[in-house]
Amino acid sequence: MVAVIFPDIETEICGWLGQQLRDRGDTARVVTKVPTTRPARFVRLVRAGGTQRDLITDRPRIVFECWDSAGDIAASDLARLVRALVTGAAPGWIGTAWCDKAVDAGMAFLPDLASGTPRYLVTIELHITGSEL
């Protein structure tokens, strides 16, 4: 029997996306938990399910929450940038994870009622190759 392990995709995306944003001069932090002290501009990502396509391919569905206290347009700009970077990464490496395909499931405006900060959500399904144990 073959056992396959998949990368910790949230960790891989956090590091990779953070570097992609920094390389473009963007100050947005990329996190998996909303910081206690919220930055003015940040991206929180969470795996929201997904299925294993076959023995070696996992399809995590990732939701990117893009906040920017500067306003709706700035939050939308951040979301569109994140969407372009992630969907444009495939096929290719996202950190140490090989991504065969990125399927864009759309973007939605969903203001954060608790903080009053503009927020856009971007949902993308990634096709990630695992490795044999």
Side-chain angles (χ1 to χ4, degrees), residues 4 34 39 42 48 64 66-67 94 106 110 115 118 122 124 127:
V4 175
V34 175
F42 71 102
F64 299 86
C66 303
W67 276 274
I94 294 178
L110 186 64
S115 70
V122 175
I124 300 172
H127 294 218

Side-chain angles (χ1 to χ4, degrees), residues 3-24:
V4 175
I5 188 165
F6 297 103
D8 176 352
I9 197 61
E10 292 105 334
T11 299
E12 294 300 327
I13 294 171
C14 266
W16 176 84
L17 182 58
Q19 187 62 55
Q20 294 295 313
L21 293 171
R22 285 189 298 279
D23 287 350
R24 286 158 180 78

Side-chain angles (χ1 to χ4, degrees), residues 62-77:
I62 308 296
V63 176
F64 299 86
E65 298 176 290
C66 303
W67 276 274
D68 196 314
S69 60
D72 298 354
I73 293 171
S76 172
D77 288 347

Side-chain angles (χ1 to χ4, degrees), residues 32-110:
T32 57
K33 296 179 183 176
V34 175
T36 303
T37 303
R38 291 178 182 229
R41 181 176 170 90
F42 71 102
V43 177
R44 175 184 174 239
L45 64 96
V46 62
R47 180 173 180 159
T51 60
Q52 188 172 335
R53 182 181 76 195
D54 53 37
L55 180 64
I56 63 165
T57 308
D58 190 24
R59 297 185 304 189
R61 183 168 286 247
I62 308 296
V63 176
F64 299 86
E65 298 176 290
C66 303
W67 276 274
D68 196 314
S69 60
D72 298 354
I73 293 171
S76 172
D77 288 347
L78 178 57
R80 289 182 303 106
L81 177 57
V82 166
R83 185 182 194 187
L85 290 169
V86 177
T87 58
W93 293 100
I94 294 178
T96 63
W98 178 258
C99 182
D100 289 312
K101 185 177 181 181
V103 180
D104 184 357
M107 202 168 115
F109 181 58
L110 186 64

